[in-house]
Amino acid sequence: MSRLNLLEETRFEKLPVTVYSDPQTASKTVARRIADLIRAKQRRGEQTVLGLATGATPVEVYAELVRLHREEGLSFRNVVTFNLDEYYPMQPESEQSYVTFMKESLFNHIDIDMNNVHIPDGTLPLEEIAEYCLAYERKISGYGGLDMQILGIGRTGHIGFNEPGSAPNSGTRLVTLDDLTRRDASRDFGGKENVPTKAITMGIGTIFKAREIILMAWNTKKAAIIKKAVEGEISSEVPATYLQLSDNVEFVLDEDAASELTRFDTPWLVKDCVWDAYLIKKAVIWLAKTLHKPILKLTEEDYNNHGMAQLATEKGPVYDINIDIFNQVQRTITGWPGGKPGADDKQRPERAAPARKRVVIFSPHPDDDVISMGGTFIRLVDQGHDVHVAYQTSGNTAVWDDDALRFVEFAIDFSKSQGEDAASLTSLYGSMRDFLATKQPNQTDTKELLTVKGLIRKGEAIAGARFAGVSDENIHFMALPFYERAKTEKRQIHEEDIQLTIELLQRVKPHQVFAAGDFADPHGTHKVCFDIVLEALNRLRVTEDWAQDCWLWMYRGAWHEFDTHEIEMAVPLSPQEVERKRFAIFKHQSQKDRPVFPGDDAREFWVRAEERTSETARSYDRLGLAEYEAMEAFVRW
């Protein structure tokens, strides 16, 4: 690509952006740049002064630096580090402290002199913090300033803990954390109420003085704030926009984090495009939504005035394009998610045959099935399909402690009412009370408590599936090992997870599989669960004829929804079906009112589900399609 074309394509971007295919490639590139800097300064007999970040974003950068140290002899003896921030108050040995994070991620595995490591002190008395922060600044200056500053970005647009409202010339100081920042950290602390309200952070002015600044961001959860930081106006409401003023900054992104930048999201606004079917559909729906017009009312002038003249010229006339896209969207709508028996299915989302399909609905947590596709779940059962539901994890971390105690109290009282000896259960209950009285934030529960919490969610899942009409023998609890191991180690797939999934699929031999494609869940469970299902199906397709004809549908709803142009099957729900779905969700009483891990959406799950499916229906209506009460949306993998 010529420099002129690149400038045109990136003309909305107000600072340099480099996009990599995945976080691993990007992280290795950043780590190599750090290593090159360290070695260059070593050759000159100079120290390297690094500003370091914490959180999930730089983890693989640090892992690659550790590898370079162990396998390629990269030494850190001449390296001085200053960390961006630390929670306040915070003990350095705490599991949530950035001291612990940095030691476990990097410092314990390299040859750095710990006297050269500087991390804000979260143990100081309040009255000493101001002077400490001034000394932190003086110490950075004493080393000649930062050679390179590594940054992540929070969903508020914070860099370090410089939250909205921070001044561009701010220095190291004590700050109050934004509520969204605290919600994002809630899982690490066992609930938002345990997340400190304050932190010590380097200021934006301090960061600006670095001779090189690299901000990294991965995955779609960061895409919206990246667009604001890169393309938006400079504003204290998005502190990262101040980086637009620096001549020394670069944003390093993966494709998902960059997905909402203009050149990727609406490329027709900045360059000529290769107009394939997917891009045409996306562009026409975007144009209709932008102009608040039904698809069939879009004109050639609309196309020309909004960057789509090339499309009109190459594929026009525009009315023919409009009709084609209208028909494509229309054909996604079906009241027969398992296929309509005896119908011409050439343009329907699902096959007509066999008329009665075997279906497996995989639910990462014990309520994702009814929250995300409860109406379709009920419809499949009502239409006579052989529906199975598989709960992939116990969900036992997402139950309140007092709910667990309440169920044990019930068990004790019930045992006594039957004239049984409840002494052992009463003793166990006492030990549970003792444990909870001293339980630390994010501390793993005892085995007995986890069992009780798992049984609570199991009972709710059975009640919800029964309400949907599924027979007990078609309800499966998989208890995938990765979820239990994730309490003590990194969340990752194990061979046992895949084998358990293969065994279930082999028993059922489904024609249809539904799996959660909602990867915005804050804990990463959905993505791991989906990858397990996909790997199991891919292996089976090599050896099993039935698996080659098994269709995999992705659903969303608990955390996010598909964009209209992505939807390949839209199942409309009547008001009565919306109500039935709501009652199925209500069976999950431990998740009602206020769940343990609500994410950044304050609405209850049933409210989220209804409002999202209603909005999907309204989006179809605004495009000129029929108006329904609600719609559940699916994309075929």
Side-chain angles (χ1 to χ4, degrees):
M1 181 183 296
S2 70
R3 178 173 174 77
L4 184 62
N5 288 341
L6 179 61
L7 287 173
E8 180 65 15
E9 185 176 333
T10 61
R11 61 190 170 92
F12 287 98
E13 298 169 20
K14 300 175 181 178
L15 43 72
V17 175
T18 306
V19 181
Y20 293 88
S21 59
D22 55 75
Q24 295 74 29
T25 303
S27 296
K28 288 180 179 180
T29 301
V30 172
R32 180 64 65 177
R33 286 171 63 176
I34 295 171
D36 290 345
L37 173 65
I38 292 170
R39 286 173 171 143
K41 300 205 79 173
Q42 281 174 345
R43 287 192 292 270
R44 298 196 297 269
E46 299 171 359
Q47 287 184 313
T48 303
V49 185
L50 299 177
L52 300 180
T54 51
T57 303
V59 166
E60 293 196 49
V61 174
Y62 298 151
E64 178 63 9
L65 288 173
V66 171
R67 189 196 69 79
L68 290 170
H69 168 68
R70 289 177 172 170
E71 298 180 13
E72 299 185 21
L74 176 64
S75 175
F76 292 80
R77 298 300 296 176
N78 73 319
V79 175
V80 178
T81 67
F82 288 88
N83 263 79
L84 276 168
D85 42 32
E86 177 61 283
Y87 291 107
Y88 182 83
M90 180 59 64
Q91 295 297 318
E93 65 275 8
S94 170
E95 180 184 345
Q96 296 84 11
S97 81
Y98 289 159
V99 174
T100 297
F101 174 91
M102 290 306 305
K103 286 183 176 179
E104 292 181 350
S105 300
L106 181 63
F107 297 148
N108 286 350
H109 313 290
I110 58 177
D111 62 342
I112 195 166
D113 182 349
M114 290 303 291
N115 292 316
N116 289 337
V117 169
H118 306 89
I119 301 174
D121 187 350
T123 68
L124 294 169
L126 195 60
E127 62 272 14
E128 295 181 14
I129 290 179
E131 177 55 37
Y132 173 83
C133 290
L134 288 173
Y136 204 76
E137 294 276 334
R138 288 194 294 266
K139 193 169 287 187
I140 294 173
S141 299
Y143 280 102
L146 300 171
D147 291 305
M148 182 185 290
Q149 175 66 62
I150 300 299
L151 298 173
I153 184 171
R155 289 192 298 148
T156 63
H158 71 233
I159 48 177
F161 274 134
N162 292 284
E163 298 284 18
S166 297
N169 61 348
S170 54
T172 303
R173 68 205 187 283
L174 184 68
V175 298
T176 299
L177 298 178
D178 188 271
D179 189 69
L180 176 56
T181 299
R182 295 181 65 231
R183 289 202 302 268
D184 282 348
S186 63
R187 186 170 182 85
D188 292 335
F189 285 84
K192 192 188 80 171
E193 67 277 5
N194 300 317
V195 181
T197 59
K198 297 186 181 298
I200 299 172
T201 184
M202 272 192 211
I204 296 172
T206 315
I207 293 168
F208 245 76
K209 295 174 186 176
R211 284 178 279 280
E212 186 175 1
I213 302 169
I214 299 176
L215 185 147
M216 303 178 294
W218 327 131
N219 75 54
T220 54
K221 284 187 273 190
K222 297 295 178 69
I225 197 63
I226 285 294
K227 181 178 177 65
K228 290 181 181 180
V230 172
E231 299 184 356
E233 296 299 318
I234 295 172
S235 167
S236 64
E237 291 303 301
V238 184
T241 57
Y242 288 130
L243 295 174
Q244 295 174 16
L245 300 171
S246 173
D247 294 328
N248 306 313
V249 68
E250 179 184 356
F251 277 38
V252 174
L253 313 174
D254 72 344
E255 291 178 352
D256 288 338
S259 61
E260 293 191 22
L261 295 178
T262 300
R263 58 170 152 147
F264 300 109
D265 188 32
T266 52
W268 50 88
L269 295 178
V270 293
K271 65 177 181 179
D272 287 343
C273 298
V274 177
W275 288 103
D276 60 19
Y278 179 85
L279 192 62
I280 295 172
K281 183 179 179 183
K282 181 179 182 180
V284 172
I285 291 174
W286 169 85
L287 183 60
K289 289 184 174 181
T290 299
L291 298 178
H292 306 289
K293 295 174 71 171
I295 291 172
L296 295 178
K297 290 188 177 182
L298 296 172
T299 67
E300 188 163 359
E301 184 179 12
D302 294 331
Y303 277 62
N304 292 340
N305 290 343
H306 293 83
M308 294 165 57
Q310 181 203 5
L311 173 60
T313 301
E314 291 184 6
K315 306 291 184 179
V318 299
Y319 191 65
D320 289 348
I321 300 173
N322 295 343
I323 289 174
D324 179 50
I325 299 305
F326 179 88
N327 288 336
Q328 286 185 41
V329 178
Q330 174 96 298
R331 289 193 288 266
T332 65
I333 303 172
T334 180
W336 299 84
K340 186 173 183 178
D344 181 356
D345 60 8
K346 287 191 289 293
Q347 294 182 331
R348 288 179 170 273
E350 251 295 352
R351 304 149 292 175
R356 184 175 186 267
K357 290 184 175 65
R358 293 183 299 275
V359 181
V360 175
I361 298 171
F362 283 101
S363 183
H365 301 99
D367 56 355
D368 288 313
D369 54 337
V370 289
I371 290 172
S372 301
M373 56 169 292
T376 303
F377 187 169
I378 292 170
R379 181 80 63 86
L380 286 164
V381 176
D382 287 350
Q383 291 176 347
H385 299 287
D386 180 20
V387 180
H388 295 247
V389 59
Y391 298 104
Q392 293 171 278
T393 74
S394 67
N396 60 7
T397 60
V399 176
W400 294 106
D401 293 335
D402 54 358
D403 278 348
L405 290 178
R406 183 164 57 87
F407 274 79
V408 178
E409 289 162 0
F410 171 86
I412 292 171
D413 289 342
F414 183 75
S415 294
K416 289 179 179 178
S417 73
Q418 301 301 303
E420 297 178 2
D421 182 7
S424 61
L425 198 54
T426 301
S427 175
L428 180 60
Y429 172 76
S431 65
M432 289 180 178
R433 290 287 297 266
D434 291 342
F435 169 78
L436 292 176
T438 58
K439 181 181 175 181
Q440 297 300 304
N442 213 35
Q443 183 178 351
T444 301
D445 285 327
T446 62
K447 180 180 178 181
E448 293 78 13
L449 268 170
L450 288 173
T451 298
V452 172
K453 291 179 177 182
L455 289 173
I456 290 171
R457 300 213 66 184
K458 180 179 181 180
E460 293 170 346
I462 291 171
R466 283 176 180 165
F467 183 85
V470 176
S471 59
D472 286 5
E473 61 269 21
N474 283 13
I475 303 173
H476 310 276
F477 292 91
M478 302 182 72
L480 293 178
F482 87 87
Y483 185 80
E484 303 306 318
R485 291 189 177 116
K487 297 176 177 66
T488 56
E489 61 183 63
K490 182 180 178 182
R491 185 155 296 186
Q492 58 185 345
I493 298 172
H494 297 267
E495 181 63 22
E496 191 177 355
D497 300 310
I498 299 168
Q499 289 303 320
L500 287 169
T501 305
I502 288 174
E503 289 169 13
L504 175 62
L505 289 168
Q506 279 281 43
R507 288 201 303 273
V508 179
K509 294 182 171 57
H511 303 94
Q512 273 185 319
V513 166
F514 290 87
D518 192 345
F519 305 146
D521 82 291
H523 317 130
T525 302
H526 284 205
K527 181 65 166 65
V528 176
C529 285
F530 180 82
D531 288 344
I532 291 168
V533 172
L534 185 61
E535 177 63 21
L537 277 172
N538 284 341
R539 292 189 190 182
L540 287 166
R541 282 169 178 155
V542 175
T543 59
E544 304 293 323
D545 291 339
W546 66 263
Q548 295 169 20
D549 198 36
C550 176
W551 288 16
L552 173 59
W553 290 97
M554 297 187 295
Y555 62 80
R556 288 184 182 173
W559 301 101
H560 203 254
E561 191 49 273
F562 291 111
D563 289 330
T564 310
H565 70 273
E566 298 176 298
I567 297 171
E568 297 180 71
M569 179 164 66
V571 180
L573 307 180
S574 69
Q576 293 75 23
E577 288 171 316
V578 170
E579 186 175 57
R580 288 177 70 188
K581 174 179 176 177
R582 183 191 309 161
F583 290 153
I585 298 173
F586 282 177
K587 301 300 181 184
H588 296 269
Q589 294 179 1
S590 69
Q591 306 304 297
K592 183 125 180 17
D593 300 325
R594 184 182 171 216
V596 177
F597 300 115
D600 62 348
D601 193 330
R603 297 172 298 176
E604 290 189 45
F605 281 119
W606 71 272
V607 178
R608 299 184 204 184
E610 290 193 10
E611 292 185 356
R612 287 188 181 126
T613 53
S614 294
E615 177 53 33
T616 299
R618 283 193 294 271
S619 72
Y620 270 64
D621 175 41
R622 289 190 289 263
L623 294 175
L625 284 303
E627 183 177 2
Y628 293 97
E629 178 72 11
M631 279 181 166
E632 291 178 342
F634 303 86
V635 170
R636 186 179 164 197
W637 181 262

